[in-house]
Amino acid sequence: MANQKVEFPSTQWFQALAARMNEQRAKYQNFGFVTARAVFRVTATAAGNRNFGLVFDGFECLEVRELTDGEIAQFDPDWTMEGDYATWKEMVQNIKAHGEADPDHTLNRLCLLGHPFRVHGEDQTRVDVFYRQLFSFQAFIDESAAVETSFA
Amino acid sequence: MASLKRLPSPFTLPPTRRHEPLPLPPPEEVKKKLYDHPEAQRIRSGQLGEWFTTPLVGGEWTEWGKQARPDRIGMTFMAVNRVSANPEPTNAPARRLMHSRYIKTHHAIPPEMEEKIAPKYGTAREMDRRDQVWIEHAAELTEEALDRQMRPARQLRWEEMTPLAEDLERAFDQFATYLIQAMFLCSDASGPWNGLIHYGFAEIKSYLAYELFDYNLMCGLLRKRVMANGGGMGVQVDGLGAGIVEICNEASRGFVGEVEREFPSVVFAIDVLFNGLLLEMARLAAAGARSRFDRHLMTQVVQDCARHVAFGCRRLSFYLRHCPDREEAAVKLHLAADRLEPLQAEHHLLNPKVLEPLAVMLGGGAGAIAGGVRILREFWPQFAASYLARLDSIGLGRRDRCLLPAQPPF
Amino acid sequence: MSMAIDKKQSVERLKALPQVQRWREGNYEPGAWFTSKPAEEGGIWGSWGHRFQPNRRGVSLVELNRADRHPIPTEGLGLLADREAGAEPDAPRYDYPLREKYQVWSYNVESLYEEAMSRQWSATRDIPWDKLAPLPEDQERALCQFVSFLHTVEFVPGDTLPFYMARVDPSFSEVRLFMSSQCADEARHMEVFGKRMYANGGGPGMEPGAEALLLFDPRKSVLPQEIAKTVSNVNPTWDFLAYSYFVQMIGEAVVLDFFRFGEFLGRNPCDKEMFRRIMQDEARHVSFGTMRIKYYLDNAPRREREEASEMLHFLASACEASGTGFGLLLQPSAIEPFALLAAGSLGNLDKGWDVVREFWATAVEEYINRCERAGLPRRGRCMLPEEAPF
């Protein structure tokens, strides 16, 4: 698994992050539990916009599935983090290169001004879950350092 | 400096008094009488009390046979509440002071005695109604507060603290000084209210104790950080508590007297508005932090403040949905907001001792401060936008009257 | 009253602020916070040039304060931020009710706070709940009654400590920090006992205070009513020194002994771990209270010290002879379950009471020793019988 390349963006890629999270319970216990339904949205890929719905509970990511635009509302996310493919790719490559996001590629930094990433949702008090559990989400995305990623 | 004429401390608290010594009986006389204490007599007779003799079912024992199982996180309040006969507090007026909702009251204590042992004011019986105290998903938020509390021994790596250029160190230290002052303010304003909340609301009391600790824990860490990395404490931010202090003092009425107090105004001022602003400031500081260590500290502030905001929003949302007069309650909160927003905009959001260090950090140095100001300008609309979106969610829409500027005034 | 002000006016007012005008003109030169010298050189910046090399304990307040060239002031500076912060020349100073170091400081407060921080734990995750095993019915019943009592009393300090925190001048931040850690500790204790009630099939027991209330006859009080009344209910109007004695030195000291006994009697790793962790926390609180009283009595001006000492002795006598001392040691919801747990079964209850008698003597002796350590010698004056009155 570790040596097989996984394409970004794909369900398998997020599942690979989830698998790494789920096998490192102690690490995630250190941050505190997560209770969130999140959508990671990658826009402007060769195949158009791609959405991945993830369900976090306790110290695990329980579910990863790709969603069409029309399925997002039904998935009922607390928050959606959205950015274009080029920025996602740059972030993933940066994480790979440094073992974790460098100061210019943290989720907070990328989302700060609403571009190149944007965190949004229907209800601001649910969007705030992103900030409440930020250490866990950053660590989750940083897991990509250990995933051999290929880019479509 | 210490001898300058001083103002009373910002938050009004009840005056204290010292006990006047009175004549006491001699120890031997007391000990002799203690020997006749009814419990001592019962023990000597070989009996155990009612806790042991009462039937386990149908008597005074509360809930025999209930067994909670740990859930995915551990033995949470949620796990306990799933099996408890009292998973949530009710609106029945409290009849005791020291009494949790999980334990039933003894039938033999007569109402006259209850009146004597449980005075309403100045005690944890002042707030014993759900609309005064409760929130949706109280157990979950309390567990989160404990689970995400900073554990410096496990999480902080002081060796990653990095020497910074003098301008950046000074900017970080000034920002940290502002945060220390802000955290003390929150701690002083909201801490004493916990003592007015009845024990039936165990989750809320725990949550508030953890929020109090969050503030102080961060003060201690920030002090260490600025006193260890070549810099030091910066300059106090005058006016930071503008409007907040007045609103909180009016709400508490000095915690004196048999009067109604206004906890919702304090929650609005401290948790929703002030912590909301701190949250945005900390996001900016995390983005501008120059070392992994500083970024970690600021990210912790982001998490903490976001949790405090979540508490504030849930509290006010519950209050507005369940209080006896929603319209009047909303008017009071709007009036508080009308006062707070312009003062906080002037003395907090536009305070040069807050914004300038952020601009230096975001720009990457004093020489690049213009770049930092550009980021602040671009970020600015989020202060009001997030705040207003939260108020929409609470059911306290203020889009037509909010006085936090939607666009940067600079 | 709120001043009606519309959005446009508000924005105009903000735009007129001098710093905003400066920024609008493109002048971003940082203000005096950036250019001023530190206070010791006559500027408004707080202090500068502090370095500390983290060691294996990270950065501890004990060592940090020791390395600081500025001693902790004897009088609080009346600022809103921590000591060594600077202030504008015309910034107001505040008269916090507890502004003298001797009024608040404890000899060991820095190390206790460090200990508190590093020993925080979680009632949810740090107790091996899965290692609970069914107990005989009378034993589970005894344990549940005992923890029902503890669940309730653990609320008390958290209700009152924040009032005192807000009275302490921020120059003595360590004291505030320690008290906030105690609030978190007490909340966790209340939680863990609440969870234990439900964890092993016993459930919450009988209302813990009820029996003592029903047994108590005020006409037979050993103290005159006016004295008993003054110590019946700790509240935030008490003088801080009296509060520390009542809560941290006698109340929590007795409760600490309960926990020690609970650990001793625990029959499984879960109960043992629970009491062990709580014991550590409680011992910190008692130590803070003891060494705070000592600091006060060592450092207060002579007249104040004498008055304080007289007041403390009075309070100690009254507390020992009433609910916080004797009453707590004879609390039916604590010592009766103790006896049954120590006995192992109802048939051995006499043996259980023998153990409780030993507990009593130890608790009283340790309390008297702590008083001596605090500079409040109670031997010969203590109202608590050295031997159990049963």
Side-chain angles (χ1 to χ4, degrees):
Chain A
M1 178 78 183
N3 294 326
Q4 273 183 345
K5 289 215 170 190
V6 187
E7 188 174 283
F8 176 87
S10 65
T11 308
Q12 291 74 20
W13 189 82
F14 283 103
Q15 280 172 336
L17 305 194
R20 286 195 53 79
M21 177 183 187
N22 297 351
E23 68 198 21
Q24 299 179 84
R25 189 178 170 89
K27 171 177 163 184
Y28 284 86
Q29 277 184 333
N30 230 2
F31 302 126
F33 67 79
V34 196
T35 317
R37 299 176 70 82
V39 167
F40 293 96
R41 181 169 163 84
V42 189
T43 61
T45 74
N49 299 335
R50 310 272 302 269
N51 311 301
F52 300 92
L54 279 71
V55 179
F56 296 93
D57 192 13
F59 309 102
E60 291 172 60
C61 178
L62 299 180
E63 186 182 329
V64 177
R65 63 182 152 115
E66 185 154 9
L67 305 166
T68 63
D69 285 356
E71 288 170 332
I72 293 178
Q74 198 182 7
F75 180 75
D76 189 26
D78 292 304
W79 49 266
T80 295
M81 195 179 81
E82 175 177 348
D84 65 22
Y85 173 72
T87 310
W88 271 96
K89 183 177 175 183
E90 182 186 323
M91 179 184 78
V92 173
Q93 287 175 330
N94 178 277
I95 291 170
K96 185 80 183 167
H98 297 94
E100 63 180 14
D102 79 357
D104 292 327
H105 292 85
T106 61
L107 297 183
N108 177 59
R109 186 71 184 80
L110 294 169
C111 296
L112 188 73
L113 301 175
H115 66 83
F117 278 6
R118 187 164 77 97
V119 178
H120 60 94
E122 289 292 305
D123 178 341
Q124 182 64 35
T125 61
R126 293 179 68 190
V127 175
D128 287 342
V129 172
F130 175 76
Y131 304 116
R132 273 164 42 196
Q133 305 179 345
L134 188 52
F135 276 122
S136 304
F137 301 129
Q138 183 65 59
F140 179 79
I141 289 293
D142 283 347
E143 298 297 349
S144 65
V147 175
E148 290 301 322
T149 303
S150 65
F151 295 92
Chain B
M1 189 181 283
S3 60
L4 289 175
K5 183 167 168 25
R6 297 184 181 212
L7 302 174
S9 59
F11 293 102
T12 315
L13 294 163
T16 56
R17 58 168 183 81
R18 185 163 269 190
H19 289 76
E20 286 297 325
L22 297 167
L24 286 153
E28 289 320 311
E29 186 186 318
V30 170
K31 286 178 189 174
K32 200 164 164 249
K33 280 192 186 171
L34 288 175
Y35 188 81
D36 295 329
H37 188 283
E39 174 64 8
Q41 290 182 34
R42 184 162 77 193
I43 294 169
R44 288 196 296 271
S45 76
Q47 303 299 307
L48 288 174
E50 192 184 5
W51 70 271
F52 190 74
T53 55
T54 189
L56 288 170
V57 178
E60 292 298 332
W61 193 268
T62 303
E63 279 192 89
W64 186 258
K66 289 291 174 70
Q67 189 156 10
R69 306 273 180 208
D71 57 25
R72 197 182 283 279
I73 301 161
M75 186 64 89
T76 57
F77 269 118
M78 294 82 88
V80 164
N81 289 343
R82 259 190 289 278
V83 299
S84 169
N86 297 292
E88 284 203 6
T90 66
N91 264 330
R95 290 152 58 199
R96 309 279 192 277
L97 291 182
M98 290 173 56
H99 191 75
S100 154
R101 75 168 185 270
Y102 293 117
I103 300 167
K104 74 178 179 190
T105 47
H106 196 289
H107 82 280
I109 295 182
E112 320 79 79
M113 190 187 275
E114 285 180 340
E115 282 301 310
K116 277 190 201 155
I117 61 175
K120 172 80 176 165
Y121 288 96
T123 72
R125 260 193 74 209
E126 276 205 21
M127 297 202 290
D128 62 355
R129 289 199 324 265
R130 279 161 58 89
D131 69 281
Q132 294 172 312
V133 181
W134 195 237
I135 64 171
E136 298 287 358
H137 305 298
E140 286 85 346
L141 194 66
T142 303
E143 293 288 349
E144 183 174 317
L146 177 62
D147 221 30
R148 289 199 169 263
Q149 196 172 74
M150 178 66 135
R151 300 281 156 80
R154 271 194 257 161
Q155 295 164 346
L156 267 189
R157 297 164 72 174
W158 287 96
E159 67 277 10
E160 286 179 355
M161 194 168 54
T162 314
L164 301 178
E166 192 171 310
D167 55 348
L168 287 166
E169 180 64 27
R170 192 185 265 244
F172 185 88
D173 293 355
Q174 177 56 36
F175 191 77
T177 303
Y178 143 71
L179 282 180
I180 290 172
Q181 185 181 335
M183 305 273 167
F184 276 149
L185 182 140
C186 293
S187 171
D188 290 357
S190 59
W193 286 88
N194 206 359
L196 305 187
I197 295 175
H198 194 258
Y199 298 2
F201 300 86
E203 296 92 328
I204 303 294
K205 290 184 77 79
S206 266
Y207 170 81
L208 288 173
Y210 297 145
E211 181 170 326
L212 185 80
F213 189 41
D214 291 341
Y215 293 132
N216 287 276
L217 187 57
M218 190 48 71
C219 285
L221 293 172
L222 290 167
R223 177 178 175 83
K224 286 180 179 183
R225 162 61 186 81
V226 302
M227 296 298 282
N229 203 34
M233 294 289 292
V235 190
Q236 168 177 287
V237 180
D238 295 327
L240 183 63
I244 303 269
V245 172
E246 296 76 9
I247 296 266
C248 291
N249 281 337
E250 286 166 23
S252 73
R253 302 174 86 166
F255 296 101
V256 169
E258 300 192 356
V259 291
E260 291 301 309
R261 294 176 233 282
E262 282 285 330
F263 189 43
S265 308
V266 177
V267 171
F268 176 80
I270 297 295
D271 290 291
V272 177
L273 176 61
F274 198 73
N275 266 277
L277 300 182
L278 290 176
L279 163 60
E280 309 300 352
M281 293 290 186
R283 286 178 62 207
L284 286 160
R290 295 287 128 185
S291 71
R292 194 175 190 276
F293 182 87
D294 291 351
R295 198 160 48 250
H296 188 103
L297 269 186
M298 289 303 120
T299 306
Q300 183 70 41
V301 179
V302 169
Q303 283 199 166
D304 289 352
C305 292
R307 195 165 56 247
H308 306 161
V309 168
F311 170 77
C313 291
R314 290 185 196 183
R315 174 79 280 280
L316 293 187
S317 169
F318 193 93
Y319 169 64
L320 288 171
R321 280 183 288 120
H322 296 90
C323 65
D325 187 339
R326 191 201 177 282
E327 207 168 315
E328 190 193 337
V331 167
K332 279 186 185 168
L333 289 170
H334 277 303
L335 288 174
D338 290 344
R339 290 167 65 189
L340 282 168
E341 287 162 358
L343 289 169
Q344 281 293 300
E346 178 179 343
H347 296 281
H348 186 177
L349 286 184
L350 289 167
N351 198 309
K353 294 192 182 86
V354 179
L355 280 201
E356 288 175 358
L358 264 183
V360 172
M361 287 161 68
L362 287 163
I369 191 171
V373 173
R374 264 196 303 278
I375 295 175
L376 287 175
R377 209 176 265 140
E378 196 175 343
F379 180 87
W380 185 277
Q382 294 187 51
F383 284 116
S386 303
Y387 166 71
L388 287 171
R390 286 184 196 114
L391 295 185
D392 286 344
S393 172
I394 291 170
L396 191 74
R398 280 185 60 76
R399 290 185 184 275
D400 56 338
R401 62 195 284 189
C402 175
L403 297 174
L404 290 182
Q407 296 301 321
F410 52 90
Chain C
M1 280 304 289
S2 78
M3 297 270 287
I5 178 170
D6 70 18
K7 284 187 184 201
K8 201 171 157 209
Q9 282 175 316
S10 175
V11 170
E12 290 310 315
R13 214 160 57 90
L14 295 174
K15 282 184 177 169
L17 293 171
Q19 73 272 25
V20 175
Q21 284 187 0
R22 193 158 51 79
W23 297 333
R24 287 168 70 84
E25 288 159 7
N27 176 1
Y28 305 127
E29 209 55 39
W33 70 268
F34 189 74
T35 53
S36 176
K37 289 179 173 168
E40 60 194 348
E41 295 172 41
I44 64 161
W45 180 265
S47 61
W48 190 255
H50 298 279
R51 278 188 199 287
F52 185 86
Q53 188 62 42
N55 55 30
R56 62 196 160 78
R57 284 186 298 277
V59 175
S60 139
L61 282 174
V62 180
E63 292 154 314
L64 194 69
N65 284 351
R66 204 177 292 147
D68 192 344
R69 62 184 183 275
H70 305 113
I72 298 163
T74 52
E75 182 186 0
L77 303 173
L79 292 175
L80 299 166
D82 210 331
R83 67 175 178 273
E84 296 187 67
E88 299 283 354
D90 57 350
R93 299 295 195 274
Y94 295 94
D95 193 11
Y96 285 87
L98 297 166
R99 60 188 272 185
E100 306 287 344
K101 187 180 176 193
Y102 73 83
Q103 292 174 319
V104 299
W105 200 254
S106 174
Y107 280 113
N108 51 359
V109 65
E110 298 124 304
S111 61
L112 286 177
Y113 178 64
E114 290 295 339
E115 201 173 299
M117 263 203 312
S118 70
R119 289 184 180 273
Q120 290 295 304
W121 53 280
S122 161
T124 306
R125 289 206 276 121
D126 291 329
I127 303 296
W129 295 106
D130 55 332
K131 297 209 167 108
L132 270 176
L135 296 175
E137 187 180 291
D138 60 355
Q139 297 295 294
E140 181 65 19
R141 182 178 189 146
L143 202 285
C144 283
Q145 185 60 32
F146 182 42
V147 296
S148 296
F149 164 69
L150 294 172
H151 166 66
T152 312
V153 298
E154 288 293 334
F155 281 105
V156 176
D159 283 355
T160 39
L161 281 164
F163 284 90
Y164 294 94
M165 287 170 60
R167 290 180 178 126
V168 174
D169 188 295
S171 303
F172 310 114
S173 56
E174 291 86 344
V175 175
R176 286 169 165 251
L177 304 189
F178 180 80
M179 290 200 282
S180 76
S181 74
Q182 185 177 345
C183 291
D185 292 345
E186 307 293 359
R188 213 171 38 235
H189 299 176
M190 174 280 287
E191 278 179 37
V192 79
F193 291 130
K195 290 171 178 179
R196 176 60 185 88
M197 296 187 302
Y198 281 105
N200 206 28
M206 194 181 92
E207 181 182 351
E211 273 205 295
L213 269 173
L214 293 167
L215 283 171
F216 179 68
D217 181 349
R219 289 164 303 180
K220 292 186 183 164
S221 169
V222 295
L223 292 176
Q225 279 299 294
E226 69 273 20
I227 294 178
K229 226 173 139 185
T230 60
V231 296
S232 65
N233 231 333
V234 69
N235 66 63
T237 67
W238 281 36
D239 165 84
F240 188 34
L241 194 63
Y243 176 85
S244 276
Y245 168 79
F246 185 93
V247 170
Q248 288 157 330
M249 203 162 144
I250 185 165
E252 293 198 271
V254 173
V255 173
L256 169 61
D257 287 316
F258 285 163
F259 296 156
R260 292 174 58 193
F261 209 64
E263 200 274 346
F264 166 70
L265 295 173
R267 296 293 167 87
N268 55 62
C270 174
D271 290 340
K272 288 255 183 216
E273 181 76 18
M274 174 177 75
F275 282 114
R276 204 174 291 146
R277 285 188 181 268
I278 294 168
M279 207 164 75
Q280 288 186 159
D281 296 344
E282 209 74 359
R284 278 198 305 276
H285 311 159
V286 174
S287 178
F288 173 80
T290 305
M291 299 313 280
R292 191 181 106 55
I293 289 173
K294 179 169 173 55
Y295 192 91
Y296 191 108
L297 295 176
D298 285 351
N299 292 281
R302 189 174 63 88
R303 191 175 161 73
E304 197 165 336
R305 183 168 67 233
E306 286 167 1
E307 282 176 12
S309 180
E310 193 189 348
M311 179 275 290
L312 282 170
H313 275 297
F314 162 73
L315 194 68
S317 295
C319 288
E320 286 155 5
S322 58
T324 325
F326 191 81
L328 203 49
L329 281 167
L330 269 189
Q331 166 58 248
S333 285
I335 58 161
E336 292 185 16
F338 268 10
L340 188 48
L341 287 166
S345 69
L346 195 57
N348 282 331
L349 193 57
D350 282 350
K351 284 185 185 156
W353 283 119
D354 286 342
V355 178
V356 177
R357 284 182 197 102
E358 283 180 44
F359 157 78
W360 180 290
T362 308
V364 173
E365 179 62 21
E366 288 187 355
Y367 162 71
I368 290 173
N369 289 343
R370 272 190 213 103
C371 287
E372 280 187 4
R373 182 83 183 91
L376 188 73
R378 296 291 301 158
R379 210 172 287 281
R381 301 172 78 160
C382 180
M383 300 285 191
L384 286 165
E386 291 80 0
E387 304 292 330
F390 47 81

